[in-house]
Amino acid sequence: MTDRKTELAANLAQVEERIASACAAAGRERSDVTLIVVTKTYPASDVRLLHELGVRHVAENRDQDAAPKAAACADLDLSWHFVGQLQTNKVRSVASYADTVQSVDRARLIASLSTAAVRAERELGCLIQVALDAESGERGERGGVAPGGIGELAALLEKAPGLRLDGLMTVAPLAGGYAGRQRAAFERLLELSSRLRADHPAANMVSAGMSADLEEAVAAGATHVRVGTAVLGDRPRLG
Ligand SMILES: *Cc1c(COP(=O)(O)O)cnc(C)c1O
């Protein structure tokens, strides 16, 4: 193996061990939790190595970087997740390679995603990004809709051609009442998820937890964790 592949394999094994332990501690099956590796700022060659090591879900947060990377890896059976704040002028590009958009947080974005998905003849899975620190009616600083806005977006997604409502996503808030309380934040997300599933039973994805707090997310019941630095190494800048 190349040095980089050896390094990625070791990091992946460590993350795998953390997820497995967290599942065991929570009395959950390991197969209940899907690892999504966040490859932002890292090259397509790393995505290839990760694929060789068994990774099947990758995530990106900027279309400028993601579009060429996805094109360079189009021959691989990978599921691409878009997890960044999404401007409507990038939607057409994102809809051409993303399988899941995890950062749906406003009505206008749903309308553009729907148009783009239909035009591309693709079905996009959509997660509503929840900002647990946002006041009702507002969006969070890192994107996301306040909890009170979930129902309205879910209803729009359910009706939108080309889109499929898959569940909820959050990033643990850095400020507000949940700052430093990841477990409580993720438990709140799970509560919101069970409320959503009462009306939309198929929307059972819960995406929460990153390198620093994946254990708390698994304990709370997350179905998907998004891990970047613990697999790929420290990013040069916050990306
Ligand atoms: C970068 C990023 C991650 C991964 O964060 P790490 O701390 O590197 O594991 C997860 N989710 C989102 C939305 C991100 O932007």
Side-chain angles (χ1 to χ4, degrees):
M1 285 203 271
T2 60
D3 288 352
R4 181 57 170 159
K5 190 170 177 184
T6 308
E7 181 186 355
L8 291 176
N11 291 347
L12 263 182
Q14 249 174 38
V15 167
E16 178 51 41
E17 170 60 33
R18 285 176 61 191
I19 296 173
S21 306
C23 285
R28 303 181 63 193
E29 296 290 333
R30 170 63 189 90
S31 56
D32 289 349
V33 179
T34 300
L35 169 64
I36 302 170
V37 178
V38 184
T39 48
K40 64 188 182 195
T41 77
Y42 286 94
S45 55
D46 279 350
V47 178
R48 275 189 182 276
L49 293 174
L50 289 167
H51 182 268
E52 286 171 25
L53 293 166
V55 170
R56 291 297 177 267
H57 292 265
V58 293
E60 289 283 329
N61 72 336
R62 285 161 51 97
D63 176 61
Q64 302 90 296
D65 306 327
K69 230 182 274 187
C73 298
D75 57 314
L76 306 177
D77 58 328
L78 280 169
S79 206
W80 290 83
H81 297 253
F82 192 86
V83 298
Q85 294 194 45
L86 183 49
Q87 304 305 319
T88 45
N89 63 344
K90 303 289 184 192
V91 157
R92 194 169 170 181
S93 171
V94 169
S96 70
Y97 59 84
D99 298 286
T100 307
V101 177
Q102 298 206 0
S103 44
V104 175
D105 62 359
R106 58 200 191 279
R108 202 158 103 78
L109 183 54
I110 293 173
S112 341
L113 278 169
S114 175
T115 305
V118 169
R119 187 180 289 158
E121 297 182 18
R122 301 188 72 229
E123 185 179 61
L124 297 183
C126 292
L127 302 187
I128 297 170
Q129 182 180 347
V130 183
L132 293 169
D133 55 343
E135 300 293 332
S136 76
E138 290 182 7
R139 278 168 64 214
E141 217 157 272
R142 299 148 94 192
V145 67
I150 296 171
E152 185 196 338
L153 296 185
L156 288 172
L157 279 169
E158 187 110 297
K159 285 183 302 185
L163 306 184
R164 187 183 67 238
L165 171 62
D166 279 347
L168 300 182
M169 179 272 242
T170 204
V171 178
L174 297 172
Y178 286 108
R181 301 172 58 225
Q182 284 89 340
R183 176 75 183 266
F186 297 147
E187 279 172 356
R188 173 81 174 123
L189 185 71
L190 264 289
E191 235 172 70
L192 296 167
S193 165
S194 74
R195 219 175 284 171
L196 175 72
R197 277 175 285 146
D199 293 330
H200 308 277
N204 57 7
M205 265 178 80
V206 181
S207 173
M210 319 200 298
S211 293
D213 52 22
L214 72 87
E215 282 85 359
E216 285 84 353
V218 170
T223 62
H224 291 69
V225 293
R226 310 177 306 269
V227 180
T229 53
V231 172
L232 289 140
D234 285 327
R235 287 180 293 274
R237 288 193 302 123
L238 265 189

